[in-house]
Amino acid sequence: MRGWTPPASPYGAGHRGVDLAAPPGTAVRAAAAGRVSFAGRVAGRGVLAISLTDTGDPPLRTTYEPVRPLVDEGATVAAGQVVATVEAGSSHCAGGCLHWGLLRGSEYLDPLSLLPPWLLRRPPSRLLPVFGVPLARSAPAPGADP
């Protein structure tokens, strides 16, 4: 619904994640394997943060909000595991959405960078020649004998 817009400065305007259309009650799955580093409420919204396994020091961390966490802080989660459900009432998107963030330390990154490129940036369609198909006959010009 809304893409990542990096801020020009640490405190500048921007969108520090992506908004994915998701009505309340939608299951939220872990983007990658890791350990739950936070599961609770921040400013009245349910938030879940997962530090990703084997992603360097400091590790990458994904965040999900507004959610009702289904896992506890300290739990180990697998990629694709259901870890939360989207909460009702605290979304800034009409119809509901999941705000998905990605950080390394305090630096926000584009969470879509975790997805394989083929899923996101498919090249434009191209028409290719077809071989072995008979050519169509052209219609005779008006007034010409067939």
Side-chain angles (χ1 to χ4, degrees):
M1 296 182 73
R2 184 175 172 196
W4 182 67
T5 308
S9 67
Y11 301 103
H15 191 236
R16 293 162 172 84
V18 296
D19 291 336
L20 306 172
T26 300
V28 176
R29 297 179 181 274
R35 182 172 302 279
V36 177
S37 54
F38 181 82
R41 300 199 72 75
V42 175
R45 296 164 67 129
V47 176
L48 179 66
I50 300 173
S51 293
L52 306 184
T53 305
D54 299 326
T55 57
D57 187 28
L60 290 173
R61 188 171 73 248
T62 55
T63 60
Y64 308 85
E65 63 176 283
V67 297
R68 184 176 58 85
L70 301 176
V71 291
D72 295 323
E73 194 168 311
T76 300
V77 299
Q81 178 181 336
V82 174
V83 293
T85 58
V86 175
E87 272 188 336
S90 58
S91 176
H92 58 272
C93 304
C97 68
L98 172 69
H99 181 85
W100 180 33
L102 176 66
L103 298 98
R104 182 177 300 281
S106 61
E107 180 184 4
Y108 283 87
L109 305 168
D110 183 358
L112 296 180
S113 67
L114 293 176
L115 301 177
W118 62 264
L119 186 63
L120 297 173
R121 296 177 182 87
R122 295 182 180 162
S125 298
R126 295 182 292 157
L127 294 177
L128 299 174
V130 177
F131 300 102
V133 176
L135 296 174
R137 288 195 245 164
S138 58
D145 290 330

